[in-house]
Amino acid sequence: MNDQSSFDLERAGPAGKTRGHGVDKLHSSHANHGSATPDEHELIVRDVRFDRNHRSPRWWHSNDPVATAWYNSVSASLPRGEAFFIDTLRNFRDDLPPKLAREVKAFTTQEINHTREHVAFNRLVSAHGYNVESIEQGIQAMLDLTEGRPKEFNLAITIALEHFAAMISRQLLVDPRYLDGADKVAADVWRWHATEEIEHKGLVYDVWLHATRDWSGWKRYKTRALVAALITRKYFGNRIRDAIGLLEQDGFSRRKAKWKLYAFLWWKPGMMRRMFLEWAAILMPGFHPWNRDDRALISKFDSPYSDAVMPAE
């Protein structure tokens, strides 16, 4: 594959067409660097603080220890992960065009707010007697492996993790069954977080397009696809391991915990099964998070938080 053909493939649109002539207005101003982010799309900071006096039950999701363990495992991983995203983007902010720099600032504030609320959520999990410190330590150990790596490599890791976050968020917002029966305050935390994950899902990728603008299309594609494949196995493997550990704290045998968790993830409700093809898109030439336009999901779930919405500066 020569550089020009790989250049075109890396910037291909949702239907496999190279951006440029004949592209609809939604994407026109982004054609030069391959972004599919809608021209008029903006990030909004929703400074939402959930009820600190509310005490969710131990099995806050439908009185189901398996569902609760999965979401608790994900939540416990978020504070350190989101700090990594912020630190990674900090390495690029001085070289960004003004609009992208403003979006990075809004993204950073969103992630700080997510961290604040999930730290509070994780305290409730700990108050029920669960030990989540090992989960936090495991995330830190994984992130320690990025020390000394090129900043573009860490940006590729962030792309992969943000892709996962956007996929999970889309599932939560599209299909209310995923949070049916959950404690109301806990469910609201996840829906609010999911809304902002959808909203900023393309930001890190657009920073990547700018930061690697001098790379060949083949180098750019190879790096992001390889990192995505590697980090997928690591991240989801650790989330499953940690959810099983939480179930063992509830008295499940390791074998039973593993069987029940796999059934939850792959059979019913089967979020992992439903997300597989969407995840695989990151391995394809022409990938961009906004190849799927999810803005309707943001509008649908924005109204409950209208009093707390502040436009990004």
Side-chain angles (χ1 to χ4, degrees):
M1 182 180 291
N2 60 44
D3 280 353
Q4 183 61 42
S5 62
S6 64
F7 182 96
D8 292 338
L9 283 172
E10 183 63 359
R11 291 155 179 77
K17 297 179 181 179
T18 303
R19 299 197 180 282
H21 302 296
V23 179
D24 66 45
K25 186 183 294 185
L26 182 69
H27 303 117
S28 58
S29 73
H30 299 284
N32 289 334
H33 59 82
S35 174
T37 302
D39 289 346
E40 67 276 22
H41 183 61
E42 294 184 3
L43 274 60
I44 303 296
V45 177
R46 300 162 185 79
D47 189 14
V48 180
R49 293 174 184 264
F50 294 91
D51 186 355
R52 295 292 190 264
N53 295 319
H54 177 78
R55 186 175 175 85
S56 300
R58 179 180 177 89
W59 296 341
W60 59 265
H61 196 311
S62 313
N63 199 34
D64 179 358
V66 179
T68 300
W70 172 249
Y71 288 100
N72 285 351
S73 169
V74 174
S75 181
S77 75
L78 291 174
R80 291 185 187 273
E82 287 166 338
F84 172 76
F85 302 161
I86 293 169
D87 289 343
T88 297
L89 289 184
R90 186 176 291 124
N91 292 320
F92 297 92
R93 63 185 180 186
D94 292 338
D95 185 43
L96 296 176
K99 184 176 187 298
L100 202 52
R102 290 194 301 272
E103 290 172 347
V104 167
K105 184 177 181 180
F107 169 91
T108 298
T109 305
Q110 286 183 337
E111 295 289 47
I112 289 172
N113 291 343
H114 298 169
T115 297
R116 181 192 67 212
E117 296 308 306
H118 278 277
V119 165
F121 183 89
N122 295 341
R123 288 195 188 110
L124 287 175
V125 175
S126 296
H128 283 300
Y130 289 111
N131 178 5
V132 297
E133 291 183 4
S134 61
I135 299 178
E136 297 173 353
Q137 291 167 1
I139 289 292
Q140 189 58 54
M142 186 176 77
L143 296 178
D144 285 345
L145 298 176
T146 67
E147 290 294 328
R149 298 278 189 174
K151 61 182 183 179
E152 292 83 5
F153 180 85
N154 292 346
L155 192 60
I157 291 175
T158 305
I159 289 171
L161 293 173
E162 281 289 301
H163 181 52
F164 305 154
M167 289 190 304
I168 293 173
S169 297
R170 182 176 181 277
Q171 292 294 319
L172 294 179
L173 298 180
V174 165
D175 192 341
R177 291 176 298 177
Y178 286 117
L179 290 173
D180 274 355
D183 175 81
K184 184 182 184 306
V185 172
D188 281 347
V189 170
W190 287 99
R191 291 190 183 102
W192 159 73
H193 191 164
T195 298
E196 294 197 340
E197 288 296 334
I198 292 291
E199 187 171 74
H200 69 225
K201 68 176 183 175
L203 185 276
V204 178
Y205 199 87
D206 285 345
V207 172
W208 164 264
L209 289 174
H210 181 79
T212 61
R213 62 194 180 277
D214 295 328
W215 290 18
S216 69
W218 170 243
K219 180 180 179 182
R220 177 188 283 172
Y221 166 72
K222 178 180 67 174
T223 301
R224 70 164 172 80
L226 179 60
V227 169
L230 292 174
I231 204 68
T232 294
R233 181 176 181 273
K234 188 73 172 176
Y235 180 78
F236 277 108
N238 288 354
R239 297 289 62 70
I240 289 170
R241 176 201 66 197
D242 294 336
I244 290 172
L246 292 173
L247 286 170
E248 288 180 308
Q249 293 180 44
D250 276 324
F252 287 78
S253 69
R254 186 167 187 81
R255 181 176 181 180
K256 186 175 182 180
K258 185 175 182 180
W259 183 87
K260 284 188 170 292
L261 183 65
Y262 273 71
F264 173 78
L265 293 175
W266 292 96
W267 177 47
K268 187 176 181 179
M271 184 184 284
M272 295 299 105
R273 168 172 51 85
R274 300 173 194 276
M275 292 194 315
F276 181 78
L277 291 179
E278 188 177 353
W279 167 79
I282 200 171
L283 303 181
M284 301 300 292
F287 167 78
H288 189 286
W290 278 106
N291 285 348
R292 180 193 292 271
D293 191 342
D294 290 319
R295 284 177 293 168
L297 295 177
I298 301 170
S299 300
K300 181 178 179 181
F301 286 89
D302 246 347
S303 55
Y305 313 117
S306 58
D307 292 339
V309 170
M310 304 183 302
E313 293 181 6

